[in-house]
Amino acid sequence: MTINRRKLIGSAAALGAAAALPAPALAQSGAVKWRMQALWDPGTTPQKFEERFVKRVAELTGGKFTIELFAGGQIVPAAQAFDAVRGGAFEMMKTFDGYEAGKIPAFAFTSTIPFGFPESDQYEAWFYEMGGLEMAREAYAPAGLFYIAPTVYGQEPIHSKVPITKIADLAGKKGRFVGLASAVMGAFGVSVSPLPTGEVYTALDKGVIDIADRGDLTANFEAGLAEVAKHVVVPGVHQPTTATCYVANRGAYEKLPAEYKAALAVAAREISASLRQHILVQDAIALEKYRAKGCTIHTLDPADILANRPKAIAAWQAATKDNALAKKILESQTAFMKRLGVLA
């Protein structure tokens, strides 16, 4: 049985079990209300999927577990969400681990692998089939936080004010990247600024940066990047696959009844699949929208990507900062990529 087929069967079983949570168990559990801050701006496509997530949690618990959803920065600035959830200001966040990779090296590898997994199913399989979920939870535990589950989807493109037709063109550019992408792009000669997502449009518009990562193609179009960066570079080698994640305050999580914990896990897995499939469909539509706005789409040569992968791998290894858990995660991922034929 292939990994993907095993994953699908396991996922179906988990969804079926949680969707049929026993009524007596639900009856014994009281009402719980949480607050959650997401990553996204109000009204954007990713935020609409977070709305679906909180709705699904409520459905799975007979309306007893409700989560009040806030957009990115609504409760606290995005950069402060980690500490705010840790301190109990609100119970849950949707985050991108790369933001905290400077403090916790393991997070560099639970968010994206530049020049790594080319398919989102491969990256998600690492989480659910290769022990990645447990390692991500191990990374969060010392902070008093609980990693619930990832949302895994495909590439995030590079938006540029100048043509980028090959990897060598990155050298000398000023760019916005975060997490492991920041380290890898630095290795390719980019002067990196880890700006908040909300500042990308203005930084490109004012020429503070030449190139930027921000989000998926549709989310970036909705944010207006076609107006300020007329070149779109795909595939996004800096972030070929992406994992954002649901993270809770550990104390709050541990107080939940088992069926409420199951509802969080099941809703998270459903959103991961549904958002990924939505983006897969929308990417082609989004590219046409960029062209209609006068943007040029640049597709990098696979041979060029392959030739530059060794430099990226060296940056991966340096990004572990000799941290035991980060090294363990990277070793697990590289072994899996070799089995998949991604790495030689």
Side-chain angles (χ1 to χ4, degrees):
M1 184 183 293
T2 64
I3 287 173
N4 281 346
R5 179 164 174 75
R6 232 177 19 245
K7 176 166 70 74
L8 288 172
I9 292 173
S11 177
L15 293 175
L21 291 172
L26 285 175
Q28 294 168 10
S29 300
V32 174
K33 184 173 182 178
W34 276 13
R35 296 196 303 163
M36 167 186 159
Q37 180 169 292
L39 281 166
W40 325 108
D41 296 332
T44 58
T45 296
Q47 185 68 359
K48 290 175 183 176
F49 276 82
E50 304 304 351
E51 292 169 5
R52 289 172 59 172
F53 168 77
V54 300
K55 180 180 178 182
R56 187 65 174 134
V57 170
E59 289 173 349
L60 289 168
T61 58
K64 291 189 174 183
F65 184 13
T66 57
I67 301 172
E68 185 178 5
L69 177 66
F70 295 85
Q74 255 190 302
I75 304 177
V76 298
Q80 297 175 22
F82 183 95
D83 288 331
V85 175
R86 182 181 184 183
F90 48 100
E91 292 81 9
M92 186 176 177
M93 64 180 170
K94 186 65 173 289
T95 190
F96 178 73
D97 286 346
Y99 295 149
E100 299 291 334
K103 300 176 186 175
I104 303 174
F107 287 176
F109 306 96
T110 55
S111 47
T112 189
I113 314 297
F115 289 79
F117 294 109
E119 301 293 337
S120 49
D121 268 353
Q122 296 170 339
Y123 198 17
E124 189 167 58
W126 176 76
F127 279 100
Y128 283 99
E129 300 287 340
M130 306 300 294
L133 200 59
E134 291 72 23
M135 285 184 266
R137 288 173 179 169
E138 185 180 347
Y140 267 99
L145 296 167
F146 184 82
Y147 184 102
I148 295 167
T151 298
V152 185
Y153 55 93
Q155 67 166 335
E156 294 193 353
I158 294 174
H159 294 266
S160 178
K161 297 179 73 69
V162 296
I164 301 289
T165 62
K166 57 186 182 298
I167 303 297
D169 292 340
L170 296 168
K173 304 299 185 295
K174 296 175 292 182
R176 183 270 181 184
F177 298 94
V178 296
L180 187 55
S182 178
V184 172
M185 289 297 101
F188 285 99
V190 177
S191 177
V192 176
S193 298
L195 300 170
T197 301
E199 295 180 16
V200 172
Y201 178 99
T202 302
L204 283 168
D205 186 34
K206 295 185 178 299
V208 175
I209 54 175
D210 307 305
I211 60 177
D213 155 68
R214 183 191 177 279
D216 68 86
L217 283 161
T218 298
N220 293 348
F221 188 84
E222 291 171 341
L225 294 201
E227 302 165 4
V228 294
K230 292 300 183 181
H231 300 272
V232 181
V233 184
V234 293
V237 290
H238 68 290
Q239 199 160 319
T241 52
T242 305
T244 58
C245 56
Y246 296 100
V247 175
N249 175 281
R250 175 172 286 278
Y253 180 82
E254 289 179 345
K255 291 177 184 176
L256 291 177
E259 61 270 18
Y260 290 10
K261 293 176 182 177
L264 288 171
V266 169
R269 191 78 185 265
E270 287 182 356
I271 291 303
S272 184
S274 59
L275 177 61
R276 178 166 66 253
Q277 291 159 9
H278 178 80
I279 289 173
L280 182 67
V281 172
Q282 289 299 312
D283 272 0
I285 297 171
L287 287 172
E288 287 307 313
K289 290 181 178 179
Y290 282 105
R291 291 188 179 99
K293 286 282 190 178
C295 296
T296 301
I297 313 301
H298 303 279
T299 302
L300 297 174
D301 186 340
D304 188 29
I305 296 171
L306 181 63
N308 282 280
R309 182 170 281 143
K311 184 180 288 188
I313 292 173
W316 300 350
Q317 294 166 344
T320 67
K321 299 179 181 178
D322 208 31
N323 174 270
L325 181 56
K327 290 170 68 175
K328 177 183 175 181
I329 291 174
L330 180 57
E331 288 167 3
S332 171
Q333 290 174 339
T334 53
F336 187 38
M337 282 188 268
K338 287 177 181 178
R339 286 173 55 187
L340 293 170
V342 175
L343 300 181

